[in-house]
Each structure stands twice: as C-alpha cells, then as structure tokens.
Amino acid sequence: MTVISKPLIRALKGEPVFPPPIWLMRQAGRYLPEYRKVREEAGGFLSLCYDPEKASKVTLQPLDRFGFDAAILFSDILVVPHALGQKVTFEAGEGPRLEPIRNIDDLGALSSENLQENLEPIYETVRRVSEKLPDNSALIGFAGAPWTVATYMVEGSGSRDYPNAKGWALGEPDTFQSLINLLVDATSAYLIRQVEAGAEALQLFDTWAGVLPKHAFDRFSMEPICEISRRIKEVYPDIPVIAFPRGAALYLPTLAQRSEIDAIGIDYATDVNWAAAELQPFAAVQGNFDPVLLMTGGQQLETCARGIVDALSGGGHIFNLGHGILPSTPIENVERLIEAVRR
C-alpha cells in the first residue's frame, strides 16, 4: 500500500493536516525580484511560458525562498487557445489580447491537430520541475476552466461585463456549447499530459464563474469542470483535482458534492465558517486569505490567518489566498504569513 506523505496531497484527500499546507496563487510573480529578472531575460510573458529552462526556474523560485508545500506550474490559462490556433499576445501593462471568436463560424479557424506539439514546452517544464522538487513539496499542474478561457477567446481581452461571451452563451447556448466542448477536449488532454510529465495535483481556475446565472453556471462552468476531472481520473484515478470557481460561493455546495472534485477553492468574499459547514464535509477547502491584507500586513495579517486555520482545522484544508498575490506585496509580509500559519 502506498503511503501518502506530502502534506498537500494528504490534505487534498480530506485528511486534517496541522499545520495546513500552504502555497499562494501567483506565488511566482512580479513581487519577487528574481522573477522580474528572469522575465526580463525571456523578453516577454509568452516567451517565458514556452521556455522550459526559465519557466521551471521561476516555478521553483518561491519554494527556494519560502519553503512552500507546493509549486504550481508557471504558465498561463491562454496557452490552450494559443495552441488551438488563436492569436494571443500580451501587451505590457494591458494584459492579454486575442483575435476574438464571436460565433460558430469563427470556430473553424481553430484546430486541436497540433495541440500537443504546441504545448510540449509546457510538459518539458513540468518534467524539469518534477526532477528538482523538494521531497516534501508537491507539484500542481493547472489550466483555465472552459468558461473563463472562453470569455477571453470571445471578448478578445479581459472585460467587466462580458457582453459578447454572455450574450452568446445565454442567447445561443447550443452553439456556444460547441466552443465549450472544444475546450473540454483540449483541456482534458492538456492536463492528462501534465500528470504524465510529473504533476501530482491539478487545479482548474474558473476566475469568471461568478458572472453566470445559476442555470448557465451549471451548464458552462460546473459540468465542464466535472467532465474534465472525470476524464483525468479515468487515466489517473488518484490525482486530486481542485476546482476554483471564483465569485460563485452559493453554487459551491453542489460542486463540492460531485465525486469528480477533491477540493474547492474559495475566494476572499466567502465566509470560512460557512465553508467549513457546507463544503468541507464533502471536499477539501483551499483559500481564502485576502491578497490586499497580505499586501498591507500588520497584526491583522496574523489574526486573520489564524482565524482561517482554526475555522478549517476539522478537515482537509490548504492555506491559500482568495485570488492571486498582488505585485506590490512586500516579501516580508509573505514570510510573516507563512510563520503565522505554521506557528
């Protein structure tokens, strides 16, 4: 019988672990001077994502500095549409720009024929990180959930209201389903290959799940996430899958009870005592420290961190943020947070 020793994997399997394992979303990022140096050397964000030597280096930098319990693959959710043939660029200070897909006819420009070949540099990054990972730390692979990736593909950039994506999804749900199905297929294949390369757990980020009404959330967020996880577990049944539908707290109990999902990520607006009662009996819980509080620091940082640890100590719990770490976060605040969680 295999004995699971890594704290993150034990927690994802529902075991209470104390102190809880900790990692932070966007822990490899602009708040670290060593990351900024490597990104500058790479010459651009996408270039960094597709450079296994540099991407593996920045993936491991937070573990070298802070001793986190997990590394998360350094990449981006938009490598999947990029690999499918959609033009994707990142403009400094402006975020991603894509040639928009607005209807069923536009889907003809996309193809999964070269998907795996185009994503091979990502798998090489996973292999390199896996070989250098500290013994007690786990490697998390990830992808964007179909709904969130689709919003970027349809809008052509980030958006406040997602009028084109929601308009298509709500107005012509059956044709929009074709885009979701394409992304389910591509994302499943992508994540299975990440596990093959060495990922020990997987996270699906559905950053914009909270903009959907309940019926659309069920169809375009929850069901695609569960279908991707089901396909992964057909091949790798023991790989834990974390779902993070941000902004959709009231929809999460149904998702937590799905057998395909091992853990639920909660954002900073979700009450941890509610999560302990409504989610943790069915799935491990990850989150939900506020990134702004990590940036500002002070005694409140420690008080809130301890409150989260105490509230979720009765089951599987991974300490994390409720969204990604902010670029202006002082390094000493991250050190203080880790100390507070592990004290």
Side-chain angles (χ1 to χ4, degrees), residues 282-296:
F282 310 104
V285 173
Q286 177 177 277
N288 68 331
F289 196 82
D290 194 326
V292 174
L293 183 54
L294 180 59
M295 179 185 68
T296 56

Side-chain angles (χ1 to χ4, degrees), residues 75-81 141-150 152 183-184 186-188 190-191 194 203-207 224-225 228 244:
S75 185
D76 191 80
I77 66 171
L78 297 182
V79 298
V80 168
F142 80 92
W147 163 250
T148 287
V149 175
Y152 285 100
L183 290 171
V184 167
T187 305
S188 300
Y190 177 46
L191 290 174
Q194 287 187 37
Q203 176 155 318
L204 281 158
F205 288 85
D206 212 352
T207 309
I225 286 172
I228 290 168
F244 179 43

Side-chain angles (χ1 to χ4, degrees), residues 274-336:
W274 176 88
E278 301 295 332
L279 306 179
Q280 212 173 28
F282 310 104
V285 173
Q286 177 177 277
N288 68 331
F289 196 82
D290 194 326
V292 174
L293 183 54
L294 180 59
M295 179 185 68
T296 56
Q299 182 57 45
Q300 193 67 10
L301 179 153
E302 296 191 23
T303 301
C304 289
R306 293 305 311 164
I308 292 171
V309 172
D310 290 345
L312 296 172
S313 62
H317 171 219
I318 300 93
F319 195 98
N320 207 318
L321 302 177
H323 198 228
I325 190 169
L326 298 170
S328 54
T329 300
I331 287 172
E332 56 268 25
N333 287 3
V334 179
E335 295 170 338
R336 187 173 184 179

Side-chain angles (χ1 to χ4, degrees), residues 251-272:
Y251 306 158
L252 297 184
T254 303
L255 181 60
Q257 295 177 51
R258 293 289 294 259
S259 61
E260 301 94 337
I261 302 303
D262 299 278
I264 300 289
I266 56 174
D267 58 45
Y268 48 80
T270 304
D271 179 69
V272 287

